Amino acid sequence: MRGGVWQRPGAAPAPRVNANMLQLMRGLFFPTSNVIFAAQADLGVWVRDSQPSTSPNPLTGLYEPWQAVEYAALMLTESASLLLLPGRECANGRQAPVERADWVQFSEQIRQAGLAAYKAAQSRQADAMVEASGAVSEACAACHGVYRSERAGVENRCAS
C-alpha cells in the first residue's frame, strides 16, 4: 500500500474463462433476459419473498421489481464482453469464434439491447419494455440463427 492506495505490481492478469458458452447462456444470459422479459407485463404480480435475501428470483428479492429489471439490464450489458473473451469453449468443445466480425457484432448488439432495456426500465413503463425486450430477443436470435441452430445439434454449435 502506497499513500493509502492499494497498488498491484505489474500488469493486470488476463481474464480467466471458467464456463463454456452453454453454461454462460444458461447461468447468466437466459435468467437475466427473463427478468427483462417479465417487465413487459405488470410487475405488481411479483410478491416479495418471505425471505427476500435468499430469493432466487430477483423480482421477489430484496429490491423492488423495477430496480431488479434495471440491474438485469445492466448485467446483460456488462455480460456482452464475456462473449468476447478468448478461450471460451462451446458445449461441443469448439472454441467460440470470438474474433469473427459477426460474433463481435452480435456481442455488441446484445450490449446495445441491454442498454435499451436499462433505459426502458428507468421509465417504469411496461410498454417501453415491450420494445426493449424485442431488441433483446432479436439480438439473441441473430446470433443463435448463425451459431446455435437447433437442427444442427450441439455438435455443430459455434460453427457457421
Side-chain angles (χ1 to χ4, degrees):
M1 192 158 93
R2 203 176 305 165
V5 177
W6 287 100
Q7 294 180 343
R8 184 178 9 191
R16 292 184 191 170
V17 173
N18 297 294
N20 70 29
M21 192 62 66
L22 180 66
Q23 293 165 328
L24 186 65
M25 291 295 150
R26 289 182 177 173
L28 182 63
F29 284 89
F30 184 73
T32 301
S33 297
N34 280 342
V35 173
I36 293 167
F37 297 148
Q40 297 176 89
D42 179 16
L43 288 177
V45 302
W46 297 98
V47 178
R48 181 166 282 176
D49 193 273
S50 62
Q51 295 183 352
S53 65
T54 60
S55 175
N57 184 343
L59 296 170
T60 63
L62 287 174
Y63 309 106
E64 68 93 9
W66 279 113
Q67 286 178 316
V69 176
E70 286 181 19
Y71 299 148
L74 288 172
M75 287 307 93
L76 190 64
T77 303
E78 291 288 329
S79 299
S81 63
L82 297 176
L83 298 171
L84 298 171
L85 289 178
R88 187 165 322 277
E89 292 182 352
C90 294
N92 57 16
R94 280 193 179 133
Q95 290 293 305
V98 299
E99 294 181 6
R100 285 190 49 153
D102 62 344
W103 186 274
V104 173
Q105 179 183 355
F106 294 142
S107 300
E108 178 60 18
Q109 190 176 354
I110 197 67
R111 189 181 80 74
Q112 291 296 326
L115 287 172
Y118 176 64
K119 185 175 179 180
Q122 288 180 307
S123 77
R124 306 291 198 256
Q125 300 295 317
D127 290 345
M129 291 306 300
V130 170
E131 186 174 333
S133 293
V136 170
S137 182
E138 288 171 16
C140 295
C143 188
H144 289 186
V146 175
Y147 290 105
R148 186 188 165 260
S149 172
E150 290 296 333
R151 296 178 310 281
V154 171
E155 65 276 2
N156 291 314
R157 289 189 179 169
C158 291
S160 62

